Amino acid sequence: MTELFAHWLHITQDLNSALIRKDRFDTLLTTIREVLRCDASTLLLYENQTFIPLAINGLSHDVLGRRFALAQHPRLEAIARAGDIVRFPANSDLPDPYDGLIPNHDGKLQVHSCIGLPLLVDDQLIGAITIDAFDENQFDGLLNHDLRFISALAAGGLQTALLLEPLETQANVTHEALTERRTFSDKIISRSAAMQTLQQQIDAVANTELSVLITGETGVGKELVANALHQRSARASKPLVYLNCAALPESVAESELFGHIKGAFTGAISDRKGKFEQADNGTLFLDEVGELSLELQAKLLRALQFGDIQRVGDDRHIQVNTRIIAATNRVLYEEVTAGRFRADLYHRLSVFPLHVPPLRERDDDVVLLAGFFAEQMKAKFHLSSIRLSASLLQKLTQYAWPGNVRELEHAIKRASVLAKSRTQSRDLELTLQDFDLFTSDEKAVSATHKQQKKESIEVPTLGLRAETENLQKRMISDALSQNHGNWAATARQLDIDGGNLHRLAKRLSLK
């Protein structure tokens, strides 16, 4: 017990230190593995009848992306309901959520010995720790008294870490705001640096009244970002209204946005509120806003400028308090230059631009997302387990994903259906043969995106100085376009002093 106390005094100090959240939690599990001599352990956050992995030790990396609903995992439900230490016998008929998720082992390797430690603060469940071992007698010598001691310290450490996270980035964070943020934290599955930067930007602008323009390739998850902005704002209790501008027929577009009165046109049999009114005091999300016609853009601009709208066929003005979040996969700055999008509307919408990075720039988020979608398919097919082979995980991270997260989701779903058709077993393993992504010539071309940086450099034909200036011009022009003409943002992206960038641009005749 003395050794145990010494270890946990150290870990409690770490959990309250300046370590980033990931390091706090990883340190926690490392200590647990050393003290309890287990083969695998997991720290789970409890939210909305679901356990969300915060850190793992000894399990496949894709577990971090999985979400364990209590209704689908009876062992985790037992831990959540018990209010005390739960020991599962080696011959328990309750399926283990981690069966088959042990890395560096061929085939399905089952966990034999399992203990669950519920983490309680003021008698409220905030999380759990699970410890597992291959030896069914591994934990026989552990006393429940000592495990409760660990559980109490870990619960305090988890609570402190969760409170420290928003305080490290924001001031005056209320308990309600923290609850809203945590409740939404599992919707955007990511641990990459690019997405953490995006999360910080979302936090910065969410609780303001600024219009936000979300940009990014098709399938990156722009709608999830819009949801995050709304949920983390003071308008979270009010409606978030969605409108896909690309799917709007020109004949009904104005009515969809602003509503109409009875008799305004053929088929208008009653008064109808438009999206602006439906989102009054809430948020209106205009997806694919770049597809709006110039005529409708002018009417949208007026609504943004004056905060009032007119229903089709009505002379009266209606005041609305609606926050606008827009999204597009187009480069609107180029659309403005080409005359297809109004410059004044563009500046109104892009007060605070947010760029969602493509999946190929998100490090190992592919593995987390693959685990998330695999767990969804496990529930859909009522399987005991669904795992991803090591060779498949490696290939998934190497692929360029031109369709981004949406393509990955569809690929996992399709592969799950194919794998299930091969066997009657309720334990599935997805392998390379279940994916056609890596054999199609068309898809293989997209993989060259990751190889471009490795291509050999030809000897310049115009001379080194001229070729260098041409490269600088292209890089600055591309970055300026991506940042919608914002020179300060361009300087940050290119990692160059703003003053030096302006001088270089003038020398290169870009200004």
Side-chain angles (χ1 to χ4, degrees), residues 90-102:
N91 61 353
S92 172
D93 57 0
L94 298 180
D96 193 298
Y98 312 127
D99 278 352
L101 298 178
I102 307 296

Side-chain angles (χ1 to χ4, degrees), residues 426-491:
R426 296 182 66 244
D427 299 301
L428 284 191
E429 180 179 42
L430 305 188
T431 64
L432 287 173
Q433 66 175 310
D434 301 312
F435 290 77
D436 61 359
L437 298 168
F438 317 119
T439 56
S440 167
D441 290 339
E442 180 182 353
K443 297 294 180 63
V445 171
S446 69
T448 60
H449 293 168
K450 284 196 170 183
Q451 300 300 323
Q452 288 176 349
K453 293 182 179 180
K454 299 180 181 179
E455 292 178 355
S456 59
I457 302 175
E458 297 180 0
V459 177
T461 57
L462 300 178
L464 182 59
R465 179 173 181 176
E467 289 284 0
T468 301
E469 289 184 349
N470 285 339
L471 176 61
Q472 290 174 325
K473 283 183 179 180
R474 289 199 302 272
M475 290 182 66
I476 294 173
S477 297
D478 289 347
L480 191 62
S481 176
Q482 293 172 19
N483 290 285
H484 317 295
N486 187 316
W487 286 94
T490 299

Side-chain angles (χ1 to χ4, degrees), residues 203-224:
D203 287 337
V205 74
N207 207 25
T208 71
E209 294 298 303
L210 299 180
S211 297
V212 177
L213 178 64
I214 306 169
T215 61
E217 299 175 7
T218 297
V220 293
K222 295 187 286 293
E223 187 173 349
L224 282 181

Side-chain angles (χ1 to χ4, degrees), residues 252-271:
V252 300
E254 185 177 356
S255 173
E256 281 293 315
L257 272 172
F258 308 117
H260 62 253
I261 62 172
K262 181 179 179 180
F265 50 83
T266 302
I269 60 175
S270 62
D271 291 355

Side-chain angles (χ1 to χ4, degrees), residues 329-466:
N329 60 4
R330 293 175 178 262
V331 182
L332 282 193
Y333 183 77
E334 294 179 359
E335 297 296 300
V336 170
T337 303
R340 293 187 292 266
F341 202 86
R342 294 180 61 106
D344 44 8
L345 178 58
Y346 164 71
H347 291 298
R348 279 277 177 181
L349 293 174
S350 62
V351 176
F352 197 100
L354 288 177
H355 179 70
V356 186
L359 188 54
R360 61 182 173 273
E361 295 178 3
R362 291 175 54 179
D363 304 331
D364 60 352
D365 281 354
V366 173
V367 174
L368 272 61
L369 287 162
F372 176 75
F373 296 130
E375 190 67 24
Q376 285 186 331
M377 297 308 294
K378 171 182 174 293
K380 184 178 182 64
F381 289 152
H382 305 290
L383 301 170
S384 297
S385 68
I386 182 168
R387 58 195 183 279
L388 312 172
S389 71
S391 58
L392 172 61
L393 287 175
Q394 181 180 10
K395 204 71 173 180
L396 291 177
T397 59
Q398 293 172 348
Y399 182 61
W401 299 106
N404 292 293
V405 180
R406 186 178 296 126
E407 182 186 11
L408 173 61
E409 178 183 8
H410 294 167
I412 295 293
K413 289 181 176 179
R414 185 170 58 249
S416 300
V417 172
L418 292 174
K420 188 174 183 295
S421 68
R422 295 198 313 265
T423 179
Q424 297 299 315
S425 173
R426 296 182 66 244
D427 299 301
L428 284 191
E429 180 179 42
L430 305 188
T431 64
L432 287 173
Q433 66 175 310
D434 301 312
F435 290 77
D436 61 359
L437 298 168
F438 317 119
T439 56
S440 167
D441 290 339
E442 180 182 353
K443 297 294 180 63
V445 171
S446 69
T448 60
H449 293 168
K450 284 196 170 183
Q451 300 300 323
Q452 288 176 349
K453 293 182 179 180
K454 299 180 181 179
E455 292 178 355
S456 59
I457 302 175
E458 297 180 0
V459 177
T461 57
L462 300 178
L464 182 59
R465 179 173 181 176

